[in-house]
Amino acid sequence: MLTKRIIPCLDIKDGRTVKGINFVDIRDAGDPVELGALYAEQGADELVFLDITATNEGRKTFVDLVKRIAQHINIPFTVGGGISSVEDVRPLLQSGADKISVNSSAVKRPELINELVDAFGSQCIVVAIDAKFIEGKWVVHTHGGSRPTDKVLQDWTIEAEKRGAGEILFTSMDHDGTKSGFANSALSELNQKIGIPIIASGGAGTMEHFKTTFEEGASDAALAASIFHFKEIAIPDLKSYLKKEGIRVR
């Protein structure tokens, strides 16, 4: 069994780290450069940076901020927000990103995944999926969770893998910020359908939630934001707990 990864997420708005509940009620959570450096020092396995308003505002990700964060960390760094072409990716990788994440633009034009994989390799491409459980199915949403689509989570995940995505980042909009645990039944189902790693996102509130998503959800990695930003759980403590519980972590 591969070691499980712990991934803090920096949701960025106006150059600041923010966090909401169910994708709304956004509040400030601190300076992204300082937080990124802290998490790298504490032993986070990776860092995810999502410019959450780039798509809605019709602009590209903050390249300068990506560069500043990258200078202060020594762990793999995934960047997303407003990426819609091969040309958008080059300056991000040149600024220090190791992987890029696409969401709304890939839903709008799925061929984008193929183009990015051809240009940069599948190991560099993460497809992020925001979904909400509506009338018995997980409906994929875009534009920071504000627009429902006609795509269903499972089908879109399978298509993303076929198009060459190296990893899936699934955020349950129903669980996001609630600290009630991850969407483990949906995660387990996804893991049975595809062969690429899945990052669980949305719902982390206790150390046990991480253990449960690794065991019941079969998640390869778990992403969290507010519990780390507001110092409710420290990454070294979380890893120590998981090791004692028999979960293999780095």
Side-chain angles (χ1 to χ4, degrees), residues 49-222:
F49 169 113
L50 299 176
D51 189 337
I52 62 171
T53 57
T55 298
N56 280 337
E57 293 172 6
R59 60 170 174 78
K60 306 307 177 189
T61 300
F62 293 121
V63 174
D64 290 344
L65 185 53
V66 169
K67 187 179 294 184
R68 284 169 51 216
I69 294 172
Q71 289 171 346
H72 289 81
I73 65 174
N74 58 355
I75 54 177
F77 185 25
T78 300
V79 174
I83 297 169
S84 58
S85 70
V86 168
E87 291 70 32
D88 292 340
V89 174
R90 296 190 198 282
L92 296 172
L93 296 180
Q94 290 166 356
S95 297
D98 299 286
K99 296 187 273 189
I100 61 98
S101 168
V102 287
N103 189 330
S104 303
S105 55
V107 173
K108 181 180 180 182
R109 195 172 67 83
E111 301 79 23
L112 175 64
I113 301 172
N114 303 73
E115 294 165 7
L116 295 173
V117 169
D118 289 344
F120 306 107
S122 62
Q123 79 288 341
C124 185
I125 310 305
V126 179
V127 172
I129 304 174
D130 301 328
K132 190 177 179 67
F133 198 67
I134 301 173
E135 296 179 354
K137 59 185 178 183
W138 286 93
V139 178
V140 175
H141 284 57
T142 62
H143 294 77
S146 63
R147 299 186 192 177
T149 71
D150 60 358
K151 290 190 183 295
V152 176
L153 172 65
Q154 198 175 83
D155 296 340
W156 177 226
T157 303
I158 292 169
E159 181 178 350
E161 180 185 36
K162 286 180 178 175
R163 289 184 179 276
E167 201 162 26
I168 299 294
L169 168 55
F170 163 48
T171 301
S172 164
M173 294 174 62
D174 298 307
H175 295 71
D176 178 71
T178 64
K179 300 180 185 176
S180 60
F182 295 94
N184 292 319
S185 58
L187 285 158
S188 176
E189 202 173 319
L190 285 183
N191 269 293
Q192 292 169 27
K193 299 289 183 183
I194 66 170
I196 56 176
I198 298 177
I199 303 169
S201 170
T206 68
M207 294 190 195
E208 188 178 2
H209 289 155
F210 288 84
K211 174 178 183 279
T212 306
T213 201
F214 292 142
E215 292 180 339
E216 296 178 11
S219 302
D220 297 276

